[in-house]
Amino acid sequence: MDSELTELITPHTGRITDVSPVAEGSDYSTTAVVTGQQGRVFLKAVPDRPGGVLAEVEREGQINPHLNGLAPPLLWQARRAGWFALGFEVIEGRAADFDPGSPDLPRVVQALDQIAALPVPEVARSWVETRWDRALPGETVKVVRGNHLTHADLHPRNILIDRNDRVWVVDWAWPTVASALVAPTCLAVQLVSSGHDAAEVEKLLAASTLWGQLDLDALAVFARADAMMNRHYAKIRPTQEWRKALADAAQRWADHWTA
Ligand SMILES: Nc1ncnc2c1ncn2[C@@H]1O[C@H](COP(=O)(O)OP(=O)(O)O)[C@@H](O)[C@H]1O
Ligand SMILES: [Mg+2]
């Protein structure tokens, strides 16, 4: 690990004896389980430089105390010598299994209800979701506006199941305030991408409390906008194969609501 980063976090961890990088982490941040004299922490660190990822990790630190135990608790944050770092409690767990027939699915759907039930804290009030705006012309943009704190990256590795079978939602790097449609749509697309038919996904999601509160016409409009955005990202980042798979899944989900 970078020596300045080591120096920055050592006052929190104690003398470091092991750093195990997390293979699932993105390329933009340093993620690792760090063992020090004070125990183990999950570290997420980024260069302290204005631009996309710093703002994401800053938000992750700000939202953590408001997630009602859905995310691992943030133990400390540190900023100096060109780094911004967060230290979280380590979850001993595994990624959720999104495959058809997986016993994890009902719990993943429950997590959706837990996300939907989170109040919007003061700190998040200005974090209006705008990432879909350009795919929602004119009046249609109202389908994404709302008053729900949301997580838009609900892929299997961001939902951990620990040894006691507790479900944790990690990676709150870009929480926003949006309509209740955003989280279920993002989860639906991930489920389709994991091999479910859109109709099966509808059935799974219909078991949530949230589902009954959704406006299905708005859901169809948002599904089409989401397919458009996914297609756009797949096109501008053609080397990232997973984006193409996600774009196909988003299209299948949108088609299900248009048929
Ligand atoms: N508190 C934690 N304890 C253990 N593992 C974690 C913890 N938080 C995240 N992870 C694991 O590390 C991976 C990367 O962390 P994440 O917050 O998703 O960062 P990234 O922004 O790099 O995707 C997650 O997919 C998950 O497998
Ligand atoms: Mg992640």
Side-chain angles (χ1 to χ4, degrees):
M1 196 163 61
D2 177 277
S3 62
E4 279 170 335
L5 180 55
T6 303
E7 205 177 302
L8 172 66
I9 70 170
T10 298
H12 301 282
T13 59
R15 195 175 57 79
I16 294 170
T17 52
D18 184 66
V19 177
S20 301
V22 171
E24 297 87 8
S26 74
D27 302 338
Y28 308 108
S29 53
T30 300
T31 46
V33 174
V34 176
T35 308
Q37 273 167 325
Q38 330 266 13
R40 298 162 78 226
V41 286
F42 177 79
L43 169 73
K44 188 182 270 195
V46 288
D48 186 14
R49 198 185 307 128
V53 284
L54 174 62
E56 286 184 17
V57 180
E58 283 174 335
R59 265 195 197 187
E60 189 168 357
Q62 288 172 295
I63 203 64
N64 183 273
H66 307 287
L67 298 175
N68 218 356
L70 201 50
L74 178 65
L75 304 173
W76 47 260
Q77 17 190 328
R79 187 195 292 266
R80 195 164 34 87
W83 286 99
F84 178 63
L86 303 180
F88 296 92
E89 207 171 273
V90 175
I91 304 303
E92 303 291 353
R94 57 174 178 87
D97 178 359
F98 275 22
D99 287 352
S102 156
D104 294 347
L105 297 171
R107 282 176 300 179
V108 170
V109 172
Q110 260 172 28
L112 198 59
D113 274 334
Q114 287 173 276
I115 295 171
L118 292 170
V120 177
E122 200 53 45
V123 65
R125 290 212 182 276
S126 64
W127 297 348
V128 175
E129 177 60 68
T130 58
R131 287 172 291 181
W132 283 267
D133 284 14
R134 58 174 152 157
L136 290 165
E139 276 277 284
T140 63
V141 78
K142 68 177 189 290
V143 303
V144 76
R145 297 286 184 263
N147 203 25
H148 284 262
L149 187 67
T150 203
H151 189 306
D153 200 12
L154 295 170
H155 61 67
R157 291 166 317 284
N158 282 343
I159 301 181
L160 302 179
I161 300 188
D162 75 14
R163 289 174 178 164
N164 301 318
D165 245 18
R166 176 165 173 183
V167 176
W168 300 87
V169 179
V170 303
D171 207 358
W172 288 82
W174 199 249
T176 60
V177 178
S179 79
L181 288 169
V182 173
T185 300
C186 294
L187 178 62
V189 169
Q190 291 289 344
L191 289 168
V192 173
S193 173
S194 297
H196 299 254
D197 285 341
E200 282 167 31
V201 172
E202 180 183 347
K203 244 188 247 158
L204 280 170
L205 296 192
S208 65
T209 307
L210 173 65
W211 190 256
Q213 299 161 14
L214 300 178
D215 169 346
L216 297 184
D217 292 326
L219 186 142
V221 171
F222 187 63
R224 286 195 290 275
D226 187 52
M228 194 184 284
M229 290 312 296
N230 273 290
R231 238 180 0 254
H232 167 74
Y233 287 118
K235 207 171 184 180
I236 61 171
R237 302 198 178 118
T239 56
Q240 297 177 330
E241 274 299 313
W242 60 271
R243 289 196 185 272
K244 164 107 181 51
L246 212 56
D248 290 345
Q251 190 60 54
R252 288 205 294 282
W253 179 246
D255 289 347
H256 173 69
W257 292 98
T258 305

